Amino acid sequence: MFSEFIKLLKLPLRLVAFIAILTGILFFLPTKLREYFLLTDFYSSYGKHVGLLFFISFAYFFLLLSEKVFRVIKRKRIQKQQECKLIKKLTVLSQQEMSILREFFFSDSDTISALKEDIGIHSLISDGIISIIYEASIMTIYGRQITIRLSEIAKKNLTEEMLGLYPEKYTDPTYLSKLEKERPAFVKQIAYIETLKSQVTNTFSKR
């Protein structure tokens, strides 16, 4: 109800603040200054109106400010809830989601190439862990190629341990073989697409 009342008046906060300050100065101006600025007659005729306008504008300014502060607090609370939900999700990732997120660590980058049709990509986007920042206009034989980026929250909270990555095991051939087998299918598919592009480019460049 209050928000609808504010929208109905459509007065900017700064304008209301200006009116409140201006009328406040006029209303509380000392008698000597009123006489100095020749405002005695003005106060005699409009003093009550100025005072009324000051109290109305000040009250309205306070309501506007309160409503704005409430919106900010509400937005931050929602963001905090979303952040907690996302962090919790990072601790219960599926094997497919883990394999996708490992690629960010392997490439040591916040962005990687992927295929939009991958089921794991869809679930990670839905949970707000990643987002699409580029989508190719041409469909490949495996699907549409995209560039994805880690969300800020995921970037701050995602660890190697959450993804089953243990640097101390990187010298173990069995462990490395396991990681290679678990890499997403789109890694090899994109590599194959890039190879085809390179071959086509070289073929036409020789003509």
Side-chain angles (χ1 to χ4, degrees), residues 98-110:
M98 287 173 61
S99 67
I100 294 172
L101 294 177
R102 284 173 183 171
E103 295 301 314
F104 289 99
F105 283 87
F106 293 156
S107 63
D108 192 25
S109 174
D110 295 337

Side-chain angles (χ1 to χ4, degrees), residues 43-57:
Y43 273 91
S44 298
S45 302
Y46 304 104
K48 292 182 180 180
H49 298 85
V50 171
L52 181 62
L53 182 57
F54 164 70
F55 285 111
I56 292 175
S57 58

Side-chain angles (χ1 to χ4, degrees), residues 112-115 134-147 185-203:
I112 61 170
S113 294
L115 294 176
Y134 171 75
E135 183 173 336
S137 57
I138 300 175
M139 183 72 75
T140 69
I141 56 176
Y142 296 112
R144 196 176 299 277
Q145 192 168 339
I146 57 176
T147 300
F186 64 72
V187 173
K188 291 183 178 180
Q189 292 168 346
I190 290 176
Y192 179 67
I193 293 169
E194 294 302 321
T195 300
L196 287 179
K197 287 181 180 178
S198 178
Q199 291 175 349
V200 171
T201 301
N202 291 334
T203 301

Side-chain angles (χ1 to χ4, degrees), residues 13-71:
L13 183 62
R14 291 183 179 180
L15 176 60
V16 177
F18 174 76
I19 295 173
I21 292 171
L22 180 61
T23 53
I25 291 173
L26 290 174
F27 184 69
F28 293 106
L29 195 67
T31 304
K32 289 184 178 180
L33 289 178
R34 295 179 187 179
E35 294 174 352
Y36 179 79
F37 290 111
L38 304 177
L39 295 173
T40 305
D41 293 339
F42 173 81
Y43 273 91
S44 298
S45 302
Y46 304 104
K48 292 182 180 180
H49 298 85
V50 171
L52 181 62
L53 182 57
F54 164 70
F55 285 111
I56 292 175
S57 58
F58 179 79
Y60 183 57
F61 169 75
F62 179 77
L63 291 175
L64 274 178
L65 187 62
S66 299
E67 197 260 349
K68 190 171 185 178
V69 171
F70 175 76
R71 285 203 311 268

Side-chain angles (χ1 to χ4, degrees), residues 83-181:
E83 182 176 347
C84 292
K85 184 179 179 181
L86 193 150
I87 293 173
K88 184 178 180 180
K89 172 61 182 176
L90 291 176
T91 63
V92 289
L93 294 167
S94 68
Q95 182 58 53
Q96 188 175 20
E97 292 169 335
M98 287 173 61
S99 67
I100 294 172
L101 294 177
R102 284 173 183 171
E103 295 301 314
F104 289 99
F105 283 87
F106 293 156
S107 63
D108 192 25
S109 174
D110 295 337
T111 61
I112 61 170
S113 294
L115 294 176
K116 191 175 182 180
E117 287 68 24
D118 190 285
I119 298 176
I121 293 293
H122 283 266
S123 63
L124 289 172
I125 291 175
S126 176
D127 291 324
I129 297 174
I130 63 172
S131 60
I132 298 175
I133 60 173
Y134 171 75
E135 183 173 336
S137 57
I138 300 175
M139 183 72 75
T140 69
I141 56 176
Y142 296 112
R144 196 176 299 277
Q145 192 168 339
I146 57 176
T147 300
I148 56 176
R149 177 171 57 194
L150 272 177
S151 70
E152 288 300 318
I153 299 175
K155 190 162 56 175
K156 290 178 182 178
N157 294 278
L158 193 62
T159 64
E160 290 178 306
E161 287 75 15
M162 288 179 177
L163 303 177
L165 295 175
Y166 305 101
E168 65 273 12
K169 292 185 178 181
Y170 286 172
T171 56
D172 182 355
T174 303
Y175 177 70
L176 293 178
S177 176
K178 175 178 177 294
L179 291 181
E180 184 62 32
K181 289 179 181 178

